[in-house]
Amino acid sequence: MLILDDIVFHTKNKMTSVAYSYMTLDTVAHGGVPGNRKSSAYRQPHSRESSVTSGSLSRNYSSKKRKKRKSENKNKVKVQICVQFFKVGEIDTLKEQFTADVVVKAKWREPTLDGQNKTSESIEFNKFWNPKLYIENSLGDPKEQIRYRLLYNDKGEAFITEKRVIKGTFMENLELDDFPFDVQDLTITVASELPSYEVELIEDLDDHHVVNKQSFVDEQEWHLYMHTECSRRDLVIDQADNSVRRSALSVKCRAARRPGYFVWNIFLVTFLICTLAFATFSVEKKLPQNRLQLSFTLVLTAVAFKSVVNSSLPRISYLTYMDKYLLAAMIMLSAVCVWHALVTVVKETIADKAETIVLISLGIIYVIYNVGFLIIIYLYPWKKRRTMAQKDRDYTINCAAQYSISRPERFDSYRGRRKLSALLKQAGRSTVGEEQVVTRRKDSGCGLSEVLHCNPSSAVDLLSVSTTLDKRTEQEEAM
């Protein structure tokens, strides 16, 4: 019992001393009044200390963040990308995808090899840094062939180049608002498996993107443009953490659908069906069953055309120009059917006059709608095609001018050793007029860019010649 009492006593003394020391500290800190946490003597020193501490912490954090960003930008490797559409295959509107053979060229600095003048055969490229590129919008596992080369510039700086030949199917979100007068983007998105603070994909300024129109497979349904456009963006790796991103570069060419099939087989036939609906007014008004039978037959025909169009398009939640025209035709046929049903209840004294007014009104409305539809097609969808054609002309002139400035001796040597008309013929783009233009200026001292500016119509042919020469040189080097 005595031992237990001593333990309890000593425990109470310890608790009392702890409580007393805590009260003493609290009294000193709060102006001599224990527990007075609401006094100004307590709030003012504490608020100043907390504000200074929080401000210094935020400044230190922001400075560390800035230093981290500077170090990341300094250590970031810039990879130059060039995409060449070697062969564009079928464009599947229903599945929203296209097939293509694409050549992706990448180039980046390798400082450890500067000034050593080594050859590609003596280098083990798997031991050096690699951006780990891949095609972000590829469908399935495309076939790839990868080759590496080591190049040096005039300053002795080393560059590792990667040439990736890809054959596969690529996804593309098609914008079908203007169907069948639409212009679609065909995009190849090159991305890196490394985060964006380690690698940055940029457009190659020394080599331009190329679209090979001569090997285009779906030429009967689409018109492929020559110009390309490039855009940079970041891909989010983890949806939960948006700070982790990957650098990506999207290169796209454009293709315009040839609307001739739909104009002659859908639009024209639908127009004739609606025009025949006005012939039902020639049937006697006393035989509404015959009128309705003919009108319903025309409505069912229009519905069949609508189902044919839907089978060639994906399930989209908006109306295309084709849908709008077919729906307007069905509304017109429905209005004719409604009138044939109501004519039986109209008084005979005014039936003839009312029917004449309805026939003229429906005819005027239908004619105005068709004329307005053609004007809208010319102003909006066709305007985009005119813009694409202008971009094509600007692109060919700029590319040919860059080619003549960067490699004039190469073009002049080919022009001196062989007839330029033969090169045009091998490129598959020669005509009598183009050969005359080339012959008239082949002996002059002006460069290729001046020839193009003097005669822009020959820009496409001269550019095809330069592209053909580039491909032949690459094939010879590969062999």
Side-chain angles (χ1 to χ4, degrees):
M1 292 296 292
L2 293 174
I3 295 173
L4 292 175
D5 290 339
D6 291 339
I7 292 173
V8 172
F9 177 75
H10 288 297
T11 304
K12 287 182 180 180
N13 288 339
K14 288 181 180 180
M15 293 176 63
T16 305
S17 62
V18 169
Y20 178 76
S21 62
Y22 175 77
M23 184 178 66
T24 305
L25 292 173
D26 187 76
T27 304
V28 173
H30 302 98
V33 183
N36 187 16
R37 298 180 181 270
K38 296 184 179 180
S39 62
S40 59
Y42 167 74
R43 286 198 310 269
Q44 190 173 359
H46 181 72
S47 61
R48 286 178 182 174
E49 184 180 357
S50 62
S51 62
V52 172
T53 305
S54 61
S56 61
L57 288 175
S58 63
R59 285 194 297 271
N60 292 333
Y61 177 75
S62 60
S63 62
K64 290 180 180 179
K65 195 172 182 180
R66 285 194 298 269
K67 291 180 180 178
K68 185 178 180 181
R69 287 180 178 176
K70 288 181 179 178
S71 62
E72 289 176 355
N73 292 331
K74 186 177 181 180
N75 298 327
K76 184 185 295 186
V77 179
K78 293 185 178 181
V79 180
Q80 302 180 29
I81 302 294
C82 175
V83 177
Q84 296 179 353
F85 293 85
F86 184 73
K87 181 180 180 181
V88 179
E90 181 183 2
I91 303 174
D92 195 336
T93 305
L94 186 61
K95 296 182 180 179
E96 294 188 284
Q97 61 188 26
F98 67 97
T99 58
D101 295 352
V102 183
V103 178
V104 178
K105 297 180 180 180
K107 181 174 64 175
W108 62 89
R109 285 272 292 114
E110 185 56 53
T112 58
L113 298 175
D114 289 348
Q116 299 183 17
N117 294 326
K118 292 185 177 181
T119 60
S120 301
E121 291 77 11
S122 61
I123 296 296
E124 295 182 10
F125 292 98
N126 55 358
K127 295 183 179 180
F128 292 92
W129 183 87
N130 192 285
K132 298 181 180 180
L133 302 178
Y134 70 97
I135 306 300
E136 192 270 335
N137 62 327
S138 63
L139 188 62
D141 296 327
K143 298 180 181 179
E144 294 186 352
Q145 296 179 359
I146 305 176
R147 291 186 301 173
Y148 295 93
R149 292 181 61 186
L150 179 63
L151 300 177
Y152 288 92
N153 60 6
D154 299 335
K155 300 179 181 179
E157 297 175 342
F159 290 86
I160 293 180
T161 63
E162 177 188 276
K163 185 176 182 181
R164 189 184 298 255
V165 181
I166 305 168
K167 181 179 182 180
T169 304
F170 307 94
M171 297 178 293
E172 183 66 44
N173 293 324
L174 302 182
E175 299 177 358
L176 300 171
D177 302 79
D178 299 337
F179 178 85
F181 311 100
D182 52 331
V183 177
Q184 299 297 338
D185 296 338
L186 306 179
T187 308
I188 298 295
T189 302
V190 184
S192 174
E193 295 181 1
L194 303 179
S196 58
Y197 57 82
E198 293 185 13
V199 60
E200 180 183 4
L201 304 184
I202 61 175
E203 187 176 5
D204 193 349
L205 301 178
D206 298 330
D207 197 0
H208 58 271
H209 310 292
V210 176
V211 179
N212 187 12
K213 293 182 60 176
Q214 299 177 7
S215 60
F216 183 42
V217 175
D218 216 356
E219 184 68 28
Q220 295 294 330
E221 188 177 352
W222 297 85
H223 170 73
L224 187 64
Y225 293 103
M226 293 187 63
H227 72 274
T228 59
E229 289 187 2
C230 183
S231 61
R232 292 180 58 254
R233 61 192 182 99
D234 291 335
L235 303 177
V236 179
I237 301 176
D238 188 2
Q239 298 294 335
D241 187 7
N242 293 332
S243 61
V244 182
R245 297 174 179 268
R246 293 176 179 173
S247 179
L249 187 75
S250 297
V251 181
K252 58 185 176 183
C253 64
R254 290 188 171 92
R257 193 189 304 273
R258 298 184 186 273
Y261 172 83
F262 300 96
V263 170
W264 299 115
N265 295 278
I266 304 295
F267 282 102
L268 182 60
V269 175
T270 305
F271 174 78
L272 295 177
I273 290 173
C274 286
T275 305
L276 292 176
F278 295 101
T280 58
F281 284 87
S282 62
V283 181
E284 185 64 31
K285 292 188 296 296
K286 296 180 181 179
L287 300 173
Q289 62 276 11
N290 295 341
R291 286 188 169 190
L292 291 174
Q293 184 179 3
L294 295 174
S295 300
F296 287 152
T297 302
L298 296 176
V299 171
L300 293 176
T301 306
V303 172
F305 270 89
K306 186 71 170 65
S307 63
V308 170
V309 174
N310 290 337
S311 63
S312 60
L313 290 176
R315 295 181 180 179
I316 52 180
S317 58
Y318 51 86
L319 296 177
T320 64
Y321 277 98
M322 178 75 76
D323 295 330
K324 294 175 183 177
Y325 190 83
L326 292 177
L327 287 177
M330 294 180 66
I331 292 173
M332 179 61 64
L333 294 174
S334 301
V336 173
C337 293
V338 170
W339 169 250
H340 291 334
L342 294 177
V343 72
T344 57
V345 299
V346 178
K347 294 181 181 181
E348 295 183 1
T349 55
I350 61 173
D352 294 336
K353 185 178 180 180
E355 189 168 52
T356 303
I357 294 174
V358 170
L359 178 60
I360 294 174
S361 300
L362 292 177
I364 292 174
I365 292 173
Y366 190 61
V367 170
I368 292 175
Y369 174 78
N370 281 276
V371 173
F373 187 82
L374 293 175
I375 294 174
I376 291 174
I377 292 298
Y378 179 78
L379 291 179
Y380 295 101
W382 225 258
K383 181 181 178 181
K384 191 173 184 180
R385 292 172 179 253
R386 294 193 295 271
T387 304
M388 297 298 109
Q390 181 62 40
K391 288 185 177 181
D392 247 15
R393 290 190 290 269
D394 297 340
Y395 175 80
T396 52
I397 292 176
N398 292 334
C399 289
Q402 291 177 3
Y403 183 87
S404 63
I405 293 172
S406 60
R407 289 171 286 184
E409 69 288 346
R410 181 176 172 185
F411 187 83
D412 292 336
S413 62
Y414 272 93
R415 186 177 61 182
R417 285 186 291 145
R418 306 180 64 180
K419 292 183 179 180
L420 197 55
S421 59
L423 293 176
L424 287 173
K425 188 176 295 183
Q426 290 180 5
R429 305 299 298 274
S430 63
T431 62
V432 177
E434 292 163 1
E435 291 182 3
Q436 289 178 355
V437 171
V438 173
T439 304
R440 187 169 60 251
R441 292 192 172 271
K442 69 177 182 179
D443 297 328
S444 61
C446 61
L448 178 60
S449 59
E450 297 180 12
V451 174
L452 294 177
H453 286 294
C454 294
N455 196 334
S457 62
S458 63
V460 176
D461 305 295
L462 296 176
L463 181 62
S464 65
V465 172
S466 62
T467 306
T468 304
L469 298 179
D470 287 338
K471 291 178 182 176
R472 288 180 182 172
T473 305
E474 291 178 359
Q475 292 175 357
E476 292 175 358
E477 292 176 355
M479 294 175 61

